[in-house]
Amino acid sequence: MFDYKYLTFAKVVGMRYTDDMSGKPIHAALGLLIAISVIVAATAQKSSDPIAVKAIAEVEQATHEHGRDANKLAAADRVVSGDAVIYTLEVRNTAATTVPPPTVTYPVPDHMVYTADSAVGPATQITYSVDGGRSFNVPENLTIAEPGGELRPATAADYTHIRWQLKNALKSNSVAFVRFRARVK
């Protein structure tokens, strides 16, 4: 006869169940200790950064409501080449205290091309990267090295990352929103 409670625990910690589980409580306790350590370490790592960023991808859809034409945002579940997608980043302070002005960096998705001058955010300084997020600058200072070594001014299609530096502290449990547009390649 075996104890179902032990069987369930064995599944959780990845142990194999056998009919003869005598002498295994030490292994079970060790497995539990390891599992708890991993959970505590993961929780500690998550809580070290009080800023949580959630990205929402949407597309504009033309609607006709109450006798008027209007545009409405809908989830970007299905997009095809050429579609414009609006990315809204929800920047949330999850800490119990106010945090200094945060910096949010977001990559332009691989299958997308950034739309020029579309990044916005109230009270933010916006900079861009053309080197995979290693360095950032304003558009007029960004350059791309051509195969022959010559430099040319970067275009919006060259941007790999966008960075918003908020100018104001973010109060506890408050949210700031930043946004940009990109087109499906």
Side-chain angles (χ1 to χ4, degrees):
M1 180 134 195
F2 59 89
D3 185 1
Y4 284 100
K5 191 164 62 176
Y6 184 80
L7 177 62
T8 303
F9 172 75
K11 286 181 181 177
V12 170
V13 295
M15 295 172 58
R16 269 185 32 185
Y17 174 77
T18 63
D19 287 337
D20 180 20
M21 294 302 281
S22 60
K24 301 295 184 193
I26 292 174
H27 295 288
L30 183 59
L32 179 60
L33 183 59
I34 292 170
I36 290 171
S37 298
V38 169
I39 292 169
V40 169
T43 304
Q45 286 177 345
K46 280 185 177 179
S47 64
S48 67
D49 187 6
I51 301 298
V53 178
K54 177 183 173 186
I56 303 161
E58 299 172 303
V59 293
E60 284 184 315
Q61 290 182 337
T63 62
H64 187 78
E65 296 177 6
H66 308 293
R68 292 193 198 155
D69 290 333
N71 286 330
K72 183 175 160 183
L73 293 178
D77 294 331
R78 294 183 183 159
V79 294
V80 296
S81 182
D83 283 353
V85 178
I86 300 166
Y87 288 89
T88 303
L89 305 181
E90 177 184 285
V91 182
R92 181 177 301 276
N93 176 5
T94 61
T97 59
T98 299
V99 296
T103 297
V104 177
T105 301
Y106 195 79
V108 176
D110 291 335
H111 60 285
M112 307 293 288
V113 175
Y114 172 76
T115 302
D117 302 320
S118 67
V120 295
T124 59
Q125 177 183 356
I126 302 169
T127 53
Y128 304 89
S129 175
V130 294
D131 61 7
R134 289 186 295 279
S135 64
F136 288 83
N137 213 322
V138 293
E140 54 271 14
N141 294 338
L142 294 172
T143 57
I144 297 290
E146 292 289 342
E150 300 227 2
L151 294 179
R152 68 165 172 82
T155 66
D158 297 316
Y159 298 170
T160 61
H161 291 73
I162 307 165
R163 177 173 284 171
W164 292 265
Q165 292 174 304
L166 281 69
K167 295 179 181 176
N168 299 316
L170 203 54
K171 292 182 181 179
S172 174
N173 297 315
S174 62
V175 179
F177 293 95
V178 295
R179 181 176 274 177
F180 73 97
R181 292 175 182 257
R183 191 163 298 281
V184 180
K185 290 182 183 177

